[in-house]
Amino acid sequence: MNFLPYLAKFIPKFSVTAAQKEKFDTKIMLLEAEHAKAIEKLETENQNLRAEVERLKKENKQLHSDNAFLKSQLQWHEDMERDRERPPQPGEVGF
């Protein structure tokens, strides 16, 4: 049994006037413009964030390279210091 015709009697009739339609259309147009502006802003922000990520990746790579260089320099200095503290062995220069 279909109750829709019976229930339809209780739903108020809704008729859109030309003025109401124009008002709704104006609201829709404003919301669409606001939506487009928000999307543009988010796309710009996304581009800026991607550029920042790339910059940070390059900086991180450079820091890793610098770190490796400094570690090798530190190892060299530690080796030199250790060699200076150790007495020369027979057969080495300086004995």
Side-chain angles (χ1 to χ4, degrees):
M1 178 176 219
N2 190 353
F3 290 103
L4 286 179
Y6 174 75
L7 292 175
K9 292 190 287 185
F10 298 107
I11 298 173
K13 301 289 182 201
F14 184 73
S15 175
V16 177
T17 65
Q20 287 173 326
K21 184 177 181 335
E22 187 176 328
K23 183 178 175 182
F24 292 146
D25 288 344
T26 302
K27 282 185 178 182
I28 289 170
M29 185 178 69
L30 291 172
L31 287 172
E32 287 174 345
E34 186 178 327
H35 181 251
K37 188 176 179 180
I39 287 175
E40 185 177 322
K41 180 181 175 186
L42 290 172
E43 286 174 347
T44 301
E45 186 176 335
N46 190 23
Q47 285 178 336
N48 292 341
L49 289 172
R50 286 182 187 275
E52 180 70 6
V53 166
E54 287 304 313
R55 185 191 69 75
L56 289 172
K57 282 180 180 179
K58 287 178 183 176
E59 183 179 324
N60 188 36
K61 186 176 180 180
Q62 183 62 45
L63 289 172
H64 278 285
S65 175
D66 293 349
N67 189 31
F69 174 75
L70 291 173
K71 281 183 178 180
S72 70
Q73 290 292 309
L74 178 63
Q75 185 63 49
W76 184 82
H77 283 286
E78 288 173 349
D79 292 346
M80 293 297 291
E81 190 66 29
R82 185 177 54 248
D83 289 346
R84 239 187 294 161
E85 292 171 357
R86 182 176 60 93
Q89 301 298 314
E92 288 183 343
V93 175
F95 182 70

